[in-house]
Amino acid sequence: MKYWMLLLAFPCAMAYGQINVRQLGATGNGKDDDYPALQKAIDSAVKTNGKVYIPRGRYRISKPLIAAQWTGKNYSVSSIEIYGDSRMWD
C-alpha cells in the first residue's frame, strides 16, 4: 500500500519517453549548476529518442550541452525533443 501511494504522489521521470530535468536534480534557481542534470537528461533522451522536459526556471550551466551519441569512434546522428514552460521574459 505504501508503494502504491508513493507512485501516485511522485510522477514518473520518464513517463511516455519524457524526462523531467527537475527529477534528475536540476533546480532552475539560477544559482546552482544544472549542467549535470541537464546533460544526463539529454544523454537519456538520445539513447531512447525521448523528450526532455524543462520546467520554468533559470538554469545555470557551466559548460556546453552535447546532444549526440558517442559510438566509440565518432558521434552518431540522433534526434531528441527539448521543450518546457517559458515566457518571453524567462
Side-chain angles (χ1 to χ4, degrees), residues 13-14 19-27 36-42 44 52:
M14 297 179 68
I19 302 155
N20 186 329
V21 298
R22 293 273 176 100
Q23 292 174 334
L24 293 176
T27 60
L38 290 168
Q39 188 62 59
K40 184 186 248 184
I42 290 170
S44 295
V52 176

Side-chain angles (χ1 to χ4, degrees), residues 4 6 10 25 27 29 36 39 46 49 57 63 65 72 75 90:
W4 178 250
L6 180 64
F10 189 73
T27 60
N29 64 9
Q39 188 62 59
V46 165
N49 290 326
K63 49 189 169 181
L65 297 165
Y75 287 103
D90 290 339

Side-chain angles (χ1 to χ4, degrees), residues 6 14-15 22 25 29 39-40 42 47 51 53 56 58 65-67 71 73 76 79-81 87-88 90:
L6 180 64
M14 297 179 68
R22 293 273 176 100
N29 64 9
Q39 188 62 59
K40 184 186 248 184
I42 290 170
K47 290 177 185 172
K51 298 177 183 180
Y53 172 66
R56 187 183 207 171
R58 292 184 182 257
L65 297 165
I66 298 173
T71 64
K73 274 182 120 176
S76 66
S79 177
I80 64 170
E81 180 180 336
R87 298 177 303 158
M88 182 173 74
D90 290 339

